[in-house]
Amino acid sequence: MTAHRIVFANEKGGTGKSTTAVHVAIALAYQGARVACIDLDHRQRTLFRYMENRLDTEKRRDIALPGTRFTYYDGESVEELEEIAAEIGADQDFLLFDTPGKDDPLARYVATTADTLVTPLNDSFVDFDLIGQVEGETFKVKKLSFYAELMWEARKKRAHSTINEAKRDLDWVVVRNRTQQLQARNMKRLDGALQELSKRVGFRIAGGLSERVIFRELFPSGLTLLDKGQLGDLGTSHLVARQELRGLVAGLNLPVPTRPAVVDEPDLAVAAE
């Protein structure tokens, strides 16, 4: 069995990439999936540190939580990375990569090998510039970015490959993490540009996390909003954030195996209404 590769990649920082990656990984574990993670951001190691904190909380509270295999890679060799991926991803349903928020050769490489590529964006034209440029007056897409062209070429190459006919297509999902409310006119412009570019390049658009502060507060404990029994009473904002997470996981449309869900999260795959 070959693990389904999920790559979280964005060459811009501050888009909630690692936060999204961690919570998707744990959400999959709650659904009964076997998940392995490789953190390629060897300086910050946010995903790696989050999972370490989760293990520490388990030991400290003497509890068992759904989790993942995890490691980080701080080298530069594609071959060595693939060896680590083969080892940690053996017998796993998903192999998840978290990449640094910068232009990085290994990040580009794993993006082109992804089965599901997840690119979180803040709702702004500053972040949109990663995948495309717009006209200053009309806000129509005038040019693909280098990153979008790279993904476009990777998809074409995979589609025409005769080396492995069973190779899965690259499903590119742009996740809109909203950090602030946009004016209605700007929201309409951004919506139009994203829809136009999605048709040209072939990515899908999914709703993300509107308030990431709630998720970041959980970092020291390694807990997530899915760990209901460990969080005490939750406020309305926490419940909304958890429902957004469920909607995000459903929107990724991942091939989750049919195994019993863990603990009491039977409705993880239900999209937010």
Side-chain angles (χ1 to χ4, degrees), residues 181-213:
Q181 294 295 324
L182 297 180
Q183 294 180 351
R185 183 172 62 178
N186 288 337
M187 179 69 76
K188 185 176 180 180
R189 289 170 174 170
L190 190 60
D191 286 342
L194 277 170
Q195 292 294 339
E196 179 184 349
L197 193 58
S198 69
K199 294 176 182 177
R200 291 175 58 176
V201 182
F203 60 75
R204 298 189 293 113
I205 303 170
L209 311 176
S210 62
E211 178 51 81
R212 294 197 304 274
V213 173

Side-chain angles (χ1 to χ4, degrees), residues 14-242:
T15 61
K17 176 178 52 58
S18 296
T19 298
T20 305
V22 166
H23 286 80
V24 168
I26 297 301
L28 289 171
Y30 260 110
Q31 292 184 73
R34 296 187 294 258
V35 185
C37 303
I38 301 178
D39 194 336
L40 295 181
D41 190 350
H42 58 87
R43 290 189 176 181
Q44 294 191 4
R45 300 180 188 174
T46 302
L47 181 144
F48 181 81
R49 288 286 300 117
Y50 205 113
M51 297 303 184
E52 277 194 329
N53 292 344
R54 189 172 181 84
L55 288 181
D56 289 343
T57 295
E58 287 187 83
K59 294 176 182 178
R60 187 171 59 254
R61 298 188 183 184
D62 192 23
I63 57 175
L65 296 170
T68 73
R69 294 181 182 176
F70 62 96
T71 189
Y72 67 89
Y73 178 62
D74 58 2
E76 300 178 352
S77 168
V78 168
E79 291 76 16
E80 188 175 18
L81 174 60
E82 284 294 348
E83 290 177 2
I84 294 172
E87 180 178 354
I88 196 173
D91 300 322
Q92 299 296 290
D93 300 305
F94 296 97
L95 178 58
L96 186 151
F97 294 85
D98 187 26
T99 65
K102 63 178 183 179
D103 185 12
D104 179 87
L106 284 183
R108 289 188 187 180
Y109 165 73
V110 295
T112 61
T113 68
D115 297 308
T116 301
L117 173 65
V118 182
T119 302
L121 292 180
N122 294 329
D123 258 4
S124 75
F125 279 108
V126 174
D127 279 41
F128 181 87
D129 196 65
L130 170 75
I131 54 177
Q133 300 176 14
V134 297
E135 295 284 353
E137 299 294 335
T138 65
F139 293 92
K140 295 292 185 181
V141 177
K142 65 177 182 179
K143 183 181 178 182
L144 300 182
S145 72
F146 173 80
Y147 192 78
E149 290 179 346
L150 178 68
M151 293 304 101
W152 175 249
E153 290 299 322
R155 295 184 70 182
K156 289 198 300 182
K157 182 177 180 181
R158 185 178 300 189
H160 293 91
S161 175
T162 58
I163 298 176
N164 185 356
E165 296 295 344
K167 183 64 180 177
R168 295 170 286 220
D169 292 335
L170 191 161
D171 183 19
W172 186 9
V173 186
V174 172
V175 171
R176 299 178 66 175
N177 281 338
R178 300 174 177 85
T179 57
Q180 59 184 355
Q181 294 295 324
L182 297 180
Q183 294 180 351
R185 183 172 62 178
N186 288 337
M187 179 69 76
K188 185 176 180 180
R189 289 170 174 170
L190 190 60
D191 286 342
L194 277 170
Q195 292 294 339
E196 179 184 349
L197 193 58
S198 69
K199 294 176 182 177
R200 291 175 58 176
V201 182
F203 60 75
R204 298 189 293 113
I205 303 170
L209 311 176
S210 62
E211 178 51 81
R212 294 197 304 274
V213 173
I214 292 171
F215 293 93
R216 290 197 294 265
E217 288 174 348
L218 296 170
F219 173 81
S221 66
L223 295 174
T224 73
L225 286 178
L226 304 178
D227 303 310
K228 293 188 295 186
Q230 303 299 322
L231 301 176
D233 294 332
L234 299 180
T236 301
S237 60
H238 291 75
L239 296 175
V240 171
R242 189 167 67 195

